Amino acid sequence: MSESTPTPAFKASHASRMVTLSLHAFTQLVRMKVFYFLAVFAVIVIGSNFFDMAQHQGPESVGANVLRNIKSWSLGAMALFAVVISIVATALLLPRDIEDRTLYTVLAKPVPRIDYLVGRLMGVLLLVFVSLAVMDLLMVAALHLRTGMVMEMQEKMAVGRGWPEEAIQSLKQETLASGVNWQLQAAVLAIFLKVAVMAAICLSVSTFSTSTLFTTVVSFLIFFIGHFQADALDFYLKGVEAGTSTFSQYLALGFSLFIPNFQLFNVVDGLVQNQPITLLMVGKLVMMACYYVLLYTLLAWWIFSDKEV
Amino acid sequence: MANDAPAVEITDLVKEFKTTMRGRPLRAVDQVSLRIMPGEVYGLIGPNGSGKSTTMKALLGLLAPTAGSCKIFGRDSIKVDSRQDVGFLPENPYFYKHLTGGETLRFYGRLCGLGGSVLRERIEVLLELVDLKDARDRRVGGYSKGMLQRIGLAQAMIQHPRLVILDEPTAGVDPVGSREIRDLVLKLRDQGITVFLCSHLLEQVQEVCDRVGIIFAGKLIREGKLEELIAIEDQTEVVIRHADSALVSRIEEIIQSSDGAELVQTGKPRTTLERLFLKEIKRDHQS
Ligand SMILES: Nc1ncnc2c1ncn2[C@@H]1O[C@H](COP(=O)(O)OP(=O)(O)OP(=O)(O)O)[C@@H](O)[C@H]1O
Ligand SMILES: [Mg+2]
């Protein structure tokens, strides 16, 4: 037997262990058949095609609703699905490892706990990324097809009404602009960033909770607080006297150091109203997301490093 | 790293668990010290709840000691790299249900830094060794208890560790299987691998271990070389086949007439149930 050969010392790098763990988490989630939800998404995208209110006005408004509907329904569904997937998947991994005692088998290998945590987080993010990419593809395909159809209709109608060539061209441009474009991709990126922050928060909750249910509930709670924090603070700031406003500004700042303002990631609504997303906005969101992901990963590490499994 | 460092060195290990908010903490391990030299097979025996698993988990850094320290080949268990040279089989092992047997070994191998053809060959060898070749492409979720135990053993040995820690390796395994596990432990010993195992099946511990420790209520109450612990120095056993009653009575006479000797018991030796079981199965297989 080859057993008696002298034993070489193997050593994995942090990166390779993290990749192994994240691919493992990804496989685990995929084999739980999470991707079935994509069928639901496809139904939503197709369904959003039919919410066209009959309009008998000029060519400029024909089909504009359809395009807007496809965008707002798809992006809305993407945001919802992505958040649900990331929270549920993250909440599932660590508590289940503890419950099934599979965590022993991993941590009994030379695996630093930070590698374990980051690997799990990366696995969930990979899952979210792939889901978003597939949904994005579906949305773009639907939008592209539909834009073509709308333009054809508009042209026919405009020609029928004897519009000048110039006006037809500019109408076409306008329709194209509200079809597939890079702004949409920026909106999807914003969804991904928001969900990444949420997954990191959920990870740190799961390090001290003992059950999937608790983790899920608390994470959704934080998610909602993150959405309403801006409004609540606004309300509070309006209520206080002008003299104490520096104090309340610090309070607001302190609060936002820990609880992200998820409202800022909601570029979707503006986009559907054809408000452009600037590069600066995207940059800011990326920075913000990095900060919170780092913060919550470190927090998770801090709790998890002393945890007895 | 000194090569003559003990494979396992546990010094005054104490582990307490908080039970309720106000109640006194439960002392699961109480001042245990033990030392296992490289190449030894050490058996820790004790009744349920005596602290065997807790000791092993502390040794692996899965639990933080309340007091005392654990070292593996001279490296403190709290440090991650102390686990480079250890393979662990937990009690009632449970692996990722969504992976197949082969994928399971690949996953743990990767975590230890193996890869490529080295890992592939290693998986081949181990699957052969634990007799799971036919089940390599089946999901671990569908494995029987004995199969889980065997895939667990393979997983523990994936990176050629110099120390293998087995928590009740034969729990839930049938006599044939547990005999195979016993043979595997002996094979490991022949390769110079240190084995630290625990069990409450005394007979099996007796068959493989060089040294044993007896733990009771968290305290190590007895420790030593196996022969020294169990030999009854002033007695001798003679087993005779086809002895008729005349021969037996003559032997008894001789014993009575010799000075200082005393007959303690005569009778028919019984086969153990385990031996009987194995014999019957073998016969069944042959016919
Ligand atoms: N995580 C824990 N929290 C609280 N008490 C624990 C914990 N783990 C073990 N104990 C307690 O510590 C004591 C020793 O447990 P341990 O699992 O080490 O026993 P054991 O010798 O392995 O028993 P068995 O033969 O049943 O496996 C038991 O009383 C047990 O209830
Ligand atoms: Mg035990």
Side-chain angles (χ1 to χ4, degrees), chain B residues 6-36:
Chain B
V8 171
E9 189 167 25
I10 299 177
T11 321
D12 296 327
L13 177 70
V14 176
K15 179 66 203 175
E16 291 181 340
F17 290 108
K18 287 198 198 72
T19 40
T20 52
M21 281 298 162
R22 289 179 300 137
R24 280 197 324 128
L26 176 90
R27 196 166 262 228
V29 177
D30 195 359
Q31 295 281 332
V32 166
S33 295
L34 58 88
R35 178 190 261 263
I36 305 173

Side-chain angles (χ1 to χ4, degrees), chain B residues 17-18 26 28 46-55 91 168 200:
Chain B
F17 290 108
K18 287 198 198 72
L26 176 90
N48 289 137
S50 52
K52 304 183 292 292
S53 302
T54 308
T55 306
E91 63 185 329
E168 301 194 17
H200 42 235

Side-chain angles (χ1 to χ4, degrees), chain B residues 74-87:
Chain B
R75 287 186 284 201
D76 197 307
S77 294
I78 299 171
K79 303 246 167 62
V80 171
D81 55 357
S82 70
R83 262 152 265 159
Q84 197 72 45
D85 271 324
V86 195

Side-chain angles (χ1 to χ4, degrees), chain A residues 214-277:
Chain A
F214 178 82
T215 313
T216 313
V217 170
V218 171
S219 299
F220 273 112
L221 213 62
I222 295 177
F223 184 65
F224 288 120
I225 293 174
H227 267 99
F228 296 118
Q229 67 138 311
D231 294 343
L233 280 172
D234 260 1
F235 184 76
Y236 175 75
L237 291 181
K238 271 177 203 140
V240 296
E241 320 270 306
T244 55
S245 68
T246 34
F247 165 74
S248 42
Q249 267 171 4
Y250 281 124
L251 188 79
L253 187 70
F255 196 69
S256 65
L257 275 181
F258 293 101
I259 306 284
N261 180 359
F262 283 124
Q263 213 82 58
L264 295 178
F265 291 87
N266 272 349
V267 292
V268 176
D269 295 341
L271 182 71
V272 173
Q273 308 301 325
N274 280 336
Q275 285 169 16
I277 303 172

Side-chain angles (χ1 to χ4, degrees), chain B residues 61-257:
Chain B
L62 298 171
L63 295 175
T66 310
S69 71
C70 304
K71 283 188 182 146
I72 294 175
F73 293 112
R75 287 186 284 201
D76 197 307
S77 294
I78 299 171
K79 303 246 167 62
V80 171
D81 55 357
S82 70
R83 262 152 265 159
Q84 197 72 45
D85 271 324
V86 195
F88 176 50
L89 171 72
E91 63 185 329
N92 307 318
Y94 211 72
F95 298 98
Y96 291 99
K97 279 189 275 193
H98 68 281
L99 295 180
T100 66
E103 287 170 337
T104 300
L105 295 185
R106 197 165 68 215
F107 171 61
Y108 291 105
R110 288 247 169 88
L111 287 183
C112 295
L114 278 75
S117 60
V118 177
L119 179 56
R120 258 198 311 274
E121 277 161 31
R122 183 74 187 142
I123 291 172
E124 238 19 75
V125 169
L126 285 174
L127 284 174
E128 179 80 55
L129 188 70
V130 298
D131 197 17
L132 282 176
K133 274 215 136 123
D134 300 333
R136 71 177 306 158
D137 293 325
R138 273 162 56 192
R139 295 248 174 120
V140 170
Y143 276 19
S144 75
K145 216 169 174 181
M147 291 164 85
L148 278 175
Q149 206 83 19
R150 280 183 285 155
I151 197 79
L153 272 167
Q155 166 274 134
M157 295 188 290
I158 191 89
Q159 86 278 29
H160 297 278
R162 288 190 288 156
L163 167 68
V164 177
I165 299 179
L166 309 173
D167 196 343
E168 301 194 17
T170 53
V173 178
D174 65 34
V176 180
S178 68
R179 210 173 183 78
E180 281 166 7
I181 290 176
R182 190 204 66 179
D183 292 343
L184 199 70
V185 171
L186 292 175
K187 211 185 274 176
L188 289 175
R189 178 170 65 183
D190 291 344
Q191 289 162 19
I193 294 171
T194 317
V195 181
F196 179 22
L197 61 86
C198 81
S199 180
H200 42 235
L201 300 176
L202 307 182
E203 218 163 298
Q204 283 167 0
V205 172
Q206 188 175 340
E207 281 181 319
V208 294
C209 292
D210 303 319
R211 274 200 312 141
V212 293
I214 302 174
I215 188 170
F216 182 72
K219 286 196 168 67
L220 198 64
I221 52 176
R222 191 90 194 265
E223 199 194 14
K225 283 224 157 40
L226 186 73
E227 311 94 74
E228 289 164 14
L229 285 183
I230 59 173
I232 308 175
E233 285 299 338
D234 60 350
Q235 293 186 7
T236 309
E237 204 172 37
V238 181
V239 180
I240 309 164
R241 193 191 302 251
H242 303 311
D244 55 13
S245 56
L247 179 61
V248 173
S249 54
R250 250 168 60 208
I251 293 172
E252 280 174 4
E253 268 168 38
I254 296 173
I255 294 171
Q256 261 165 18
S257 62

Side-chain angles (χ1 to χ4, degrees), chain A residues 184-205:
Chain A
L184 273 181
Q185 303 308 311
V188 177
L189 176 67
I191 293 176
F192 179 76
L193 292 174
K194 175 168 144 183
V195 164
V197 171
M198 209 44 239
I201 291 176
C202 188
L203 184 75
S204 59
V205 173

